[in-house]
Amino acid sequence: MDPSEVEFLAEKETVKVIPNFSLDKIYLIGGDLGPFNPGLPVDVPVWLALNLKQRQKCRIVPPEWMDADKLEEIREQERKEDAFSPVPSCHYMELTKLLLNHAADDIPRADEIRTLVKDIWDTRIAKLRLSADRFVGQQEAHARLDNLTLMEINTTRDFLLDSLNSMHKLRANLQPGKSQDY
Amino acid sequence: RTMADALSDAGDLSGGEGSQDDVMTPAELIARLEEAWLNEKFSPELLESKSELVECVMEQLTHMEENLQRVRKGDLKASVHHMEIGRIRYVLSSYLRSRLQKIEKFFPHVLEKEKSRADGDPSFLSPEEFAFAKEYLANTEVYLKAVALRHMPPNLQSIDMLKAIPEPCLDSFVFLRVKERQEKILVEPETDEQREYVVDLEEGSQHLMRYRTIAPLVANGAVQLI
């Protein structure tokens, strides 16, 4: 899957915006939005929030977890544990990138947040590489992957699945009678 | 009629999936389409056709686009609707395109499966996909004959497509998220030294395992490929 498609899925998450215009309810196919009143916070999907922001029609309220102090705690937790800690949002990486790239002026301590999220991501990807290596090395047939986000899975998907499938084919050919045409 | 009336009608359409006439809201319809999209993207084989779902989504899109034609350009509301339509269209075409790619890759097997399907069983191909697969097979055969086979010795001039084209590899590993709890899913050993064992799949948990074991769970919607 292309990373842009994972980002596309992340854009469905809702975020609060403070509009500077009035508009009645919008009846979208995927559900109703609004009404919009100047100064009153309203929940909208991220794709719309970013568009309104680009047209200077709203201010974005960053999600609760997008806070330097909270992220610092999460980073420490992630560094302390060997296992994957729960993440604040199943699209934390994409949302950070999207919101910081398009609405950095609405997010306090944006630069710190960028660094913290990058640190959390790097720590988790290092763990993921280790466990993928172990999984392949020990020839496991099943792994539980709670707390991993789609973007994280997606970064190892092609490489890991291709290796596993190649190993499987090689092994299948070792066992006469069980071999198949691929 | 105001635009708001016209647009709010979109909320009353219902779509029946499968034989039971369960009424779905348009939002549920879109959610189903996205699930089908991801499942199709990640499963090694072609999944059951969701023609009804596709038709319902198309209907929603056409209906919305018709309503939008009556709205002047530059209207903020209309632009939001256009953005949503663009997103849904993307998912829909990506879904259909990944099915076509699999049909092109596995056409003899796809057609064989469709042929051996019992009456009343759900079809793996929509009527359009079926026509596409048949034509693809015929064209491939004609092409191979024209460029190679007719130059071969007479005893080598036929080709069995079912043997010539690889089958989907059901032993591929996939990532999945559990939507409905499952007990005692058998995990086959990877090597001779290992023993098979069973795992319970808790609701909401995520796993990496071989597609073959959980293929029926993808088909009945108990797990979602990710």
Side-chain angles (χ1 to χ4, degrees):
Chain A
M1 192 179 199
D2 195 271
S4 62
E5 289 177 315
V6 186
E7 201 174 85
F8 176 87
L9 290 171
E11 285 170 352
K12 288 193 320 178
E13 297 285 303
T14 54
V15 67
K16 268 199 179 22
V17 296
I18 301 172
N20 58 15
F21 60 94
S22 311
L23 193 67
D24 297 340
K25 250 185 170 180
I26 311 180
Y27 299 96
L28 290 181
I29 299 175
D32 304 348
L33 291 180
F36 298 82
N37 292 301
L40 288 185
V42 55
D43 282 325
V44 295
V46 169
W47 56 265
L48 180 58
L50 296 178
N51 181 270
L52 293 175
K53 175 74 187 171
Q54 277 165 350
R55 299 203 253 173
Q56 298 177 340
K57 286 186 174 301
C58 79
R59 199 152 56 78
I60 296 180
V61 182
E64 230 171 88
W65 56 266
M66 204 176 279
D67 168 272
D69 294 333
K70 285 197 181 119
L71 286 171
E72 209 168 308
E73 265 172 52
I74 294 173
R75 180 179 67 177
E76 295 324 306
Q77 175 74 16
E78 194 69 67
R79 285 181 172 169
K80 222 166 41 197
E81 302 281 335
D82 283 337
F84 293 92
S85 310
V87 279
S89 152
C90 56
H91 291 292
Y92 73 98
M93 191 60 186
E94 306 90 291
L95 291 179
T96 308
K97 196 180 149 230
L98 288 168
L99 296 183
L100 288 181
N101 284 355
H102 297 100
D105 53 332
D106 292 342
I107 300 163
R109 299 161 76 187
D111 284 338
E112 279 175 73
I113 289 175
R114 203 187 292 270
T115 317
L116 284 164
V117 169
K118 179 79 168 60
D119 286 349
I120 294 171
W121 169 266
D122 288 344
T123 314
R124 293 173 61 86
I125 293 299
K127 286 182 191 176
L128 183 55
R129 291 220 179 97
L130 264 180
S131 55
D133 180 53
R134 218 173 306 143
F135 186 82
V136 176
Q138 296 177 352
Q139 315 200 347
E140 297 280 351
H142 166 259
R144 197 167 158 159
L145 305 159
D146 295 353
N147 290 337
L148 269 181
T149 68
L150 188 52
M151 193 56 116
E152 289 161 350
I153 288 174
N154 207 50
T155 51
T156 61
R157 182 193 313 276
D158 289 347
F159 180 66
L160 181 59
L161 296 189
D162 281 352
S163 334
L164 289 172
N165 294 339
S166 311
M167 303 256 301
H168 182 76
K169 278 177 211 173
L170 291 172
R171 269 198 297 273
N173 285 335
L174 277 181
Q175 292 163 315
K178 268 184 91 177
S179 78
Q180 284 182 31
D181 305 321
Y182 287 110
Chain B
R1 271 160 63 100
T2 66
M3 185 177 108
D5 288 340
L7 295 180
S8 65
D9 289 353
D12 305 330
L13 279 170
S14 61
E17 240 303 84
S19 49
Q20 67 276 58
D21 279 327
D22 47 343
V23 177
M24 266 197 280
T25 67
E28 283 165 347
L29 201 64
I30 303 302
R32 289 272 190 102
L33 175 68
E34 283 174 353
E35 285 167 16
W37 174 49
L38 294 177
N39 278 340
E40 197 67 69
K41 239 177 154 49
F42 298 134
S43 83
E45 63 172 346
L46 187 74
L47 299 176
E48 201 179 287
S49 150
K50 308 256 184 214
S51 343
E52 267 183 65
L53 180 65
V54 170
E55 267 166 46
C56 289
V57 173
M58 282 301 290
E59 221 170 86
Q60 292 279 330
L61 289 173
T62 329
H63 183 69
M64 188 60 94
E65 276 166 348
E66 276 168 14
N67 288 334
L68 287 172
Q69 274 181 352
R70 295 192 297 250
V71 182
R72 69 187 165 82
K73 278 221 167 76
D75 182 277
L76 178 59
K77 243 185 195 180
S79 78
V80 176
H81 281 292
H82 279 299
M83 272 190 277
E84 190 198 29
I85 289 173
R87 291 178 60 89
I88 297 172
R89 258 191 202 291
Y90 175 77
V91 175
L92 189 62
S93 13
S94 177
Y95 168 67
L96 294 175
R97 216 178 307 125
S98 66
R99 290 184 58 84
L100 284 182
Q101 275 164 0
K102 283 189 205 169
I103 294 172
E104 287 185 6
K105 202 166 162 194
F106 304 123
F107 59 97
H109 308 287
V110 166
L111 285 167
E112 188 64 20
K113 200 164 175 182
E114 185 67 18
K115 235 190 278 168
S116 55
R117 171 174 68 96
D119 280 345
D121 276 1
S123 169
F124 279 83
L125 297 167
S126 72
E128 296 82 3
E129 287 166 342
F130 184 53
F132 176 79
K134 274 197 303 197
E135 209 169 306
Y136 197 86
L137 173 70
N139 288 346
T140 312
E141 278 172 341
V142 168
Y143 173 71
L144 287 178
K145 263 194 196 97
V147 297
L149 292 175
R150 68 190 174 89
H151 305 294
M152 299 279 189
N155 59 335
L156 294 174
Q157 284 196 354
S158 72
I159 186 164
D160 182 352
M161 286 295 188
L162 278 170
K163 286 191 181 135
I165 306 285
E167 273 183 86
C169 174
L170 301 185
D171 284 314
S172 300
F173 275 85
V174 289
F175 294 98
L176 60 105
R177 185 182 305 122
V178 182
K179 290 165 69 186
E180 292 158 30
R181 190 187 141 81
Q182 302 292 321
E183 284 178 19
K184 302 208 170 68
I185 299 298
L186 186 74
V187 179
E188 284 181 35
E190 280 292 300
T191 63
D192 285 344
E193 300 90 70
Q194 293 168 348
R195 293 244 184 94
E196 60 182 30
Y197 59 98
V198 292
V199 287
D200 291 344
L201 306 181
E202 308 286 340
E203 194 183 320
S205 62
Q206 303 183 144
H207 303 263
L208 168 62
M209 56 203 303
R210 285 216 220 112
Y211 176 75
R212 194 188 290 279
T213 342
I214 50 97
L217 303 177
V218 174
N220 70 21
V223 307
Q224 166 77 52
L225 298 183
I226 53 172

